[in-house]
Amino acid sequence: EPEVTQTPSHQVTQMGQEVILRCVPISNHLYFYWYRQILGQKVEFLVSFYNNEISEKSEIFDDQFSVERPDGSNFTLKIRSTKLEDSAMYFCASGADRDIRNSPLHFGNGTRLTVT
Amino acid sequence: GDSVTQMEGPVTLSEEAFLTINCTYTATGYPSLFWYVQYPGEGLQLLLKATKADDKGSNKGFEATYRKETTSFHLEKGSVQVSDSAVYFCALSDAGGTSYGKLTFGQGTILTVHP
């Protein structure tokens, strides 16, 4: 069964550094998402992306965050200047349909980001 | 705004015990409801869903019924196995709005099943 792949599985970075988290969604999917889970807290929606533009973003997704689909297969999340509070597990997801009642989201295994 | 509340964990059961994980929600529209499961070292996987009131979702022996009157979507399984040990997330999508692909999650419940 096709799956969403995320790399790296664990990223350690220093505060203030830029970090790029990478995802390869399922190949025929058109809708892409990033979620994150701070340790001990809920999984939170960050952003949705379709047709090379952001569809929706949460209040967490400020100017320090950006997303890109640079080459038709990868989907990246960039954090320009990381803060300690950005430490979390970041999940990429993709879907074949905007309406997830028809087509469920498929999640990757996550990238654990640790900011020191 | 939308929110999901799950019962506090962790939950520890013996094999073949009955499982209930409570989930209640608050939503402004007509949400669809989901249970996702995360096995150790893996991503979240859809376990089951229900898209309207009184629907029952089921999969792998797990069931949950969409109860609009009590705004609940409790997960049940009659006889758990060691392989069911995982983290279970209740989630909703506000299908009445524009955020079709956006899920609002509960805090997750860790289930451990002992032989």
Side-chain angles (χ1 to χ4, degrees):
Chain A
E1 184 177 330
E3 56 183 32
V4 176
T5 306
Q6 289 187 243
T7 55
S9 57
H10 192 190
Q11 175 86 46
V12 181
T13 190
Q14 288 190 328
M15 193 167 52
Q17 295 296 304
E18 175 183 286
V19 66
I20 298 175
L21 308 183
R22 302 182 190 278
C23 170
V24 179
I26 293 173
S27 62
N28 64 342
H29 285 183
L30 301 176
Y31 300 85
F32 313 109
Y33 309 86
W34 284 100
Y35 286 78
R36 79 173 186 188
Q37 185 180 28
I38 296 172
L39 189 63
Q41 299 186 23
K42 296 184 178 185
V43 177
E44 303 171 290
F45 168 81
L46 292 179
V47 66
S48 59
F49 189 86
Y50 168 71
N51 199 26
N52 280 319
E53 60 183 27
I54 290 173
S55 305
E56 185 175 1
K57 59 184 180 179
S58 71
E59 60 273 13
I60 302 168
F61 195 90
D62 61 21
D63 292 345
Q64 293 299 310
F65 291 88
S66 63
V67 289
E68 192 179 31
R69 187 156 161 81
D71 55 14
S73 61
N74 291 283
F75 179 51
T76 61
L77 174 69
K78 181 192 290 185
I79 309 174
R80 289 189 182 80
S81 178
T82 51
K83 302 187 281 284
L84 294 176
E85 54 265 37
D86 294 327
S87 295
M89 180 72 87
Y90 288 81
F91 292 105
C92 174
S94 69
D97 195 311
R98 177 190 177 203
D99 187 345
I100 60 174
R101 293 173 297 180
N102 300 330
S103 175
L105 294 189
H106 292 255
F107 285 82
N109 289 0
T111 293
R112 179 162 296 286
L113 176 65
T114 302
V115 182
T116 61
Chain B
D2 298 343
S3 68
V4 176
T5 302
Q6 287 179 236
M7 67 183 288
E8 294 291 328
V11 174
T12 303
L13 295 173
S14 298
E15 206 164 26
E16 299 183 3
F18 183 85
L19 168 71
T20 300
I21 300 177
N22 290 338
C23 171
T24 57
Y25 67 88
T26 303
T28 52
Y30 301 92
S32 295
L33 302 172
F34 305 84
W35 277 99
Y36 277 80
V37 58
Q38 184 181 27
Y39 298 104
E42 300 183 14
L44 285 79
Q45 304 173 26
L46 178 65
L47 180 60
L48 54 84
K49 68 178 180 181
T51 58
K52 61 183 187 296
D54 299 324
D55 268 2
K56 178 186 282 188
S58 61
N59 186 25
K60 300 182 181 179
F62 291 89
E63 293 182 339
T65 301
Y66 187 164
R67 301 285 188 202
K68 188 177 177 183
E69 64 275 15
T70 54
T71 61
S72 65
F73 192 55
H74 305 321
L75 182 68
E76 296 182 336
K77 187 174 185 182
S79 176
V80 294
Q81 305 299 312
V82 172
S83 56
D84 294 326
S85 298
V87 184
Y88 291 81
F89 293 91
C90 186
L92 72 80
S93 176
D94 187 359
T98 59
S99 304
Y100 280 19
K102 174 184 170 184
L103 287 165
T104 300
F105 284 91
Q107 61 267 44
T109 301
I110 300 172
L111 170 66
T112 304
V113 181
H114 293 298

